[in-house]
Amino acid sequence: MALLGQTVTAESLPDAPPLTVVPAWRTPPAPTPDDYPHFASVVGINGEVQVQCRTSVEGRLSACTPMSARPANLGFEEIAVRLVEAGLVTPAQDASGPVEAEIIARVPFSVPMALPPKPPAWDGPEPNPSQRAAGEDYARRHRADPLIRSRLPWGLQPMSPEMRQTVKSWIDELFARSDQVRGLGMARVLAKRDLDVFPRTKPDDWDDWTKEMASVMADLFDGTEAVAELRRRFCAHYDCGPALEGDAAP
């Protein structure tokens, strides 16, 4: 993630003399790629948050509250507050010297789309004809099985319930595996387990089977086009964030 710049405006606390020096960043927020809201990172959405804080005479920030965020409900607010509170500013001053003050910090976020790395090619045993047939049969009979759904950690928790439900329905549709992919995935699992047919009853270790299915199908599905369509739909229905330009740090 790149913080393109942060601007700080300040005002005196109520009933305090006017400021002669307003705070400026001494230690600006220092985010890492892990700080970026995951869904926004995956689909390539910028953000901007206005954060109000109190500064001490030492230049530390506390009592920070997000005043506005664009887009809202993607997690930018909480991250901006945490990053700003970890920063340090030059103290505000009035005629008597350093004083406490209220500030508003603008925190813009911009990051390239964080597409997952291309998975390695399958290096397990090649399924034999019996395993392929069993896999195809499994895929036909279990089209509604949740194994077809994407298992990526999408980070939808900050969204409103309505937005979360809508976005999840898009993800379920766009990242569903086809019968062909699911059939080959199950054939690979059978090959790894040295089985020619799927068990008559669900195995006791079914959780292990589902993890193996997700793993062995990784190289069979290119999510680039699906992510692009997910972004298009999101931007058509919701705020897709500001188009940010680099600002000079104060």
Side-chain angles (χ1 to χ4, degrees), residues 160-215:
S160 66
E162 178 275 331
M163 180 188 291
R164 184 165 57 249
Q165 182 177 359
T166 299
V167 172
K168 185 178 184 302
S169 71
W170 292 337
I171 291 171
D172 285 348
E173 173 192 346
L174 294 171
F175 291 84
R177 272 51 170 176
S178 68
D179 283 359
Q180 181 180 7
V181 169
R182 284 164 52 77
L184 180 53
M186 179 54 74
R188 287 177 172 180
V189 172
L190 294 173
K192 284 183 64 176
R193 291 173 173 263
D194 197 24
L195 298 172
D196 281 339
V197 296
F198 187 77
R200 292 182 178 274
T201 59
K202 182 180 289 188
D204 293 336
D205 61 343
W206 183 241
D207 286 345
D208 292 336
W209 283 68
T210 62
K211 292 176 184 178
E212 287 183 26
M213 277 283 285
S215 174

Side-chain angles (χ1 to χ4, degrees), residues 12 61 76 94 132 138 175 178-179 196 214 227:
S12 301
L61 299 100
F76 286 109
D94 62 17
R132 285 181 175 273
Y138 171 88
F175 291 84
S178 68
D179 283 359
D196 281 339
V227 169

Side-chain angles (χ1 to χ4, degrees), residues 85-147:
E85 287 186 340
L88 190 67
V89 297
T90 57
Q93 296 188 46
D94 62 17
S96 66
V99 295
E100 293 184 351
E102 297 283 357
I103 70 160
I104 296 178
R106 183 178 68 87
V107 184
F109 296 83
S110 180
V111 69
M113 293 174 65
L115 294 175
K118 189 174 182 61
W122 166 252
D123 61 356
E126 188 65 24
N128 62 37
S130 295
Q131 291 160 344
R132 285 181 175 273
E136 292 170 1
D137 181 62
Y138 171 88
R140 284 193 299 269
R141 292 187 292 108
H142 295 81
R143 286 193 176 115
D145 192 292
L147 280 173

